[in-house]
Amino acid sequence: TVLDFDALVEGLSGPQKYKLFASRDSVKRVAEQLYLNEMLAHEARALGLDREPLQQAILAQKANNYLATQRMQALDAEPMPDMTEAARERYLADPETYSTPTQVRAAHILIRFRNRTGETRPKAEAEALITELRERALAGESFEDLAVAYSEDPSAKRNKGDLGFFGRGKMTKAFEEKAFALREPGEISEVIETGFGFHVLKLIERQDGQLKPFDEVKDAIIAGLESDFRKERRNAHIDRIKAESGVVLYEDIFDAYVEGKRQAMGIGAEDAAPPESK
């Protein structure tokens, strides 16, 4: 029936539903399979398979799992408080999260002392050369001209060492720390050592992060708050059930059951997982 088919479709994801209904043949094949399942289940009942205790327990668990999911979804659908003011408080309390990231634009000169096959020159020689180039730049020579003439970054001939804008997490840690420590355009860094070699940086421009307008981020903050609220409401509901249920675990029966299963599976004491990892 249509109801049977709707019940099946209810368990599919959005993409799965789209893929199914995009093809009439697919829908037909699934309808035929539903019919076959119905007939096979009818035969199973006629044979009394649904009356076996284990099978009844399995069927009951499947029903319980489905209904438990439906109960939690109904709990999620219950009204929740207006989160606008809470969103504003979170926005004001954590401005860094809701700001555009700080970016810097820098140029660099690279002098290598190793490549993938080993050292290209003695390390001390490379460090002495980069130190000399830094001093020449500090003395007023064009940083760009020095990059074109000496930098061993393959792109330096084309971009004069200019790396463009980049944010945190884009460069190696030591390089990034020095780049973001520069504050004024034209400022030149100390010598930096990375896995690529020795560098010296010149800050071209800095764009500090700007706090986004509240209206721009409000919906995202509220969505996060509502998700947290639903999670807390779920946990409170579960805790209340546990507190009110009065359930008692019969430790002796439990231990005997677990030990019997371990023996049947050939699990020795040395194979059993420690309590904290279960």
Side-chain angles (χ1 to χ4, degrees):
T1 66
V2 169
L3 183 60
D4 293 326
F5 208 93
D6 283 345
L8 178 140
V9 170
E10 189 67 22
L12 301 179
S13 66
Q16 287 173 327
K17 292 177 185 177
Y18 184 91
K19 183 178 181 180
L20 172 61
F21 285 101
S23 167
R24 183 181 184 280
D25 288 342
S26 294
V27 178
K28 184 178 179 181
R29 283 195 298 271
V30 171
E32 291 173 347
Q33 187 61 52
L34 274 176
Y35 172 76
L36 289 173
N37 286 348
E38 185 77 19
M39 292 300 98
L40 290 169
H42 178 73
E43 291 180 356
R45 292 186 187 96
L47 292 171
L49 299 181
D50 61 324
R51 293 192 294 276
E52 294 179 2
L54 180 58
Q55 297 301 325
Q56 289 181 337
I58 292 172
L59 291 170
Q61 283 187 15
K62 289 182 181 295
N64 285 343
N65 289 341
Y66 176 76
L67 290 172
T69 299
Q70 293 301 304
R71 175 65 186 103
M72 299 309 285
Q73 289 179 353
L75 189 67
D76 289 344
E78 292 180 5
M80 62 176 58
D82 185 347
M83 296 290 185
T84 303
E85 286 307 311
R88 192 180 300 277
E89 290 176 7
R90 179 171 289 189
Y91 169 79
L92 295 174
D94 190 13
E96 185 174 344
T97 297
Y98 306 109
S99 297
T100 57
T102 296
Q103 291 189 310
V104 295
R105 180 184 174 191
H108 83 138
I109 298 171
L110 167 66
I111 300 298
R112 299 181 183 273
F113 55 84
R114 68 164 66 92
N115 55 27
R116 292 180 181 177
T117 60
E119 291 195 351
T120 58
R121 62 165 60 84
K123 189 173 181 179
E125 181 182 319
E127 187 172 12
L129 176 54
I130 195 71
T131 300
E132 177 192 339
L133 294 173
R134 178 178 181 269
E135 291 172 353
R136 289 169 62 177
L138 288 171
E141 284 193 50
S142 166
F143 191 94
E144 291 74 16
D145 291 347
L146 291 172
V148 171
Y150 294 98
S151 181
E152 294 170 351
D153 182 335
S155 67
K157 296 287 189 286
R158 170 177 48 82
N159 60 21
K160 300 181 179 180
D162 188 350
L163 298 171
F165 280 103
F166 56 90
R168 293 190 180 277
K170 300 297 184 182
M171 303 292 183
T172 59
K173 185 176 180 181
F175 192 97
E176 177 184 291
E177 287 178 354
K178 293 295 184 182
F180 279 86
L182 300 175
R183 306 300 304 180
E184 300 297 327
E187 188 176 353
I188 295 174
S189 74
E190 299 173 355
V191 171
I192 309 159
E193 181 180 346
T194 72
F196 297 98
F198 289 111
H199 311 253
V200 63
L201 292 172
K202 174 186 173 182
L203 181 65
I204 300 173
E205 188 177 351
R206 183 184 182 95
Q207 292 181 346
D208 289 321
Q210 298 294 321
L211 184 63
K212 298 176 183 178
F214 176 67
D215 286 343
E216 185 178 324
V217 297
K218 179 179 69 174
D219 290 346
I221 300 176
I222 288 177
L225 288 170
E226 289 180 344
S227 176
D228 292 342
F229 183 87
R230 290 190 190 95
K231 187 181 298 182
E232 291 170 4
R233 185 163 59 185
R234 279 182 169 219
N235 290 339
H237 188 74
I238 296 301
D239 290 342
R240 184 164 58 252
I241 291 175
K242 289 179 178 179
E244 295 174 354
S245 66
V247 170
V248 175
L249 176 67
Y250 292 95
E251 299 283 352
D252 53 345
I253 298 175
F254 176 81
D255 289 341
Y257 172 78
V258 172
E259 182 58 29
K261 289 296 184 182
R262 285 180 177 172
Q263 290 180 8
M265 297 178 188
I267 300 175
E270 67 280 2
D271 300 318
E276 63 271 14
S277 67
K278 292 181 182 177

